[in-house]
Amino acid sequence: MDRPHLPSTEAVVDAVRVAARAYGRDIEVTHDIGADRSGRRLSAGAFVVADPDGSLPHEAYVELTGGRPRITIEVFSEDDATVTVEGIPFQDLPRDSVPAFLHAVLGDLAHVKGRFFPPGWWLVVPLPGDETYKELITGVDLTPWLSSRVRS
């Protein structure tokens, strides 16, 4: 499925805001702008704010509030993001996939799959166009939200 290209961190934050609002959720956003504040630019020299091309890297940390599941999103300036659902990180998601990912999780398409042998639970997030993300759930207990999403 073709997704709209989200050219900037701010475009991703705006798309997340729209998706959250559609499901009655609020967001809190923290912006980090400049090579001296970007998590992935720690190798930038002292007092260096801009990248060598003169641009300012822009990252954002977004937390959805007011309901379950707990979701946080880290948007990086390298066109990727990490979405964490109930403590389970989905790393290196293309930033263009973040809104569809949120719609899948908040719209009850995400589910938990697992078995007793070999033991293991996976959080599965299907997106339109046969794109699916899944991550192993570590730890002993499932949260109430994860338990409510178990499929056999």
Side-chain angles (χ1 to χ4, degrees):
M1 173 183 176
D2 290 332
R3 288 186 191 33
H5 176 63
L6 300 172
S8 68
T9 298
E10 194 59 40
V12 177
V13 171
D14 288 343
V16 167
R17 186 173 282 112
V18 169
R21 193 175 301 133
Y23 294 95
R25 303 285 297 269
D26 293 320
I27 68 170
E28 293 179 7
V29 183
T30 304
H31 294 276
D32 290 319
I33 301 172
D36 60 334
R37 298 199 35 149
S38 296
R40 293 191 178 172
R41 297 288 202 300
L42 296 177
S43 63
F47 309 110
V48 173
V49 176
D51 279 345
D53 65 358
S55 65
L56 288 173
H58 179 190
E59 296 178 355
Y61 178 81
V62 181
E63 182 176 356
L64 274 70
T65 60
R68 290 281 183 234
R70 292 172 308 172
I71 300 174
T72 60
I73 304 162
E74 295 174 274
V75 183
F76 302 106
S77 54
E78 291 89 6
D79 290 338
D80 68 322
T82 296
V83 178
T84 304
V85 179
E86 288 290 307
I88 303 157
F90 289 80
Q91 299 177 332
D92 300 322
L93 265 97
R95 72 166 67 191
D96 296 346
S97 296
V98 171
F101 189 95
L102 277 181
H103 281 290
V105 171
L106 296 173
D108 293 331
L109 294 175
H111 58 277
V112 173
K113 239 180 142 150
R115 52 189 163 178
F116 292 107
F117 191 80
W121 294 101
W122 294 82
L123 178 55
V124 180
V125 182
L127 274 58
D130 289 335
E131 187 176 356
T132 301
Y133 292 94
K134 61 184 186 177
E135 287 293 332
L136 181 65
I137 300 171
T138 57
V140 178
D141 295 325
L142 297 177
T143 67
W145 185 86
L146 290 169
S147 294
S148 71
R149 302 298 183 273
V150 172
R151 292 186 190 169
S152 50

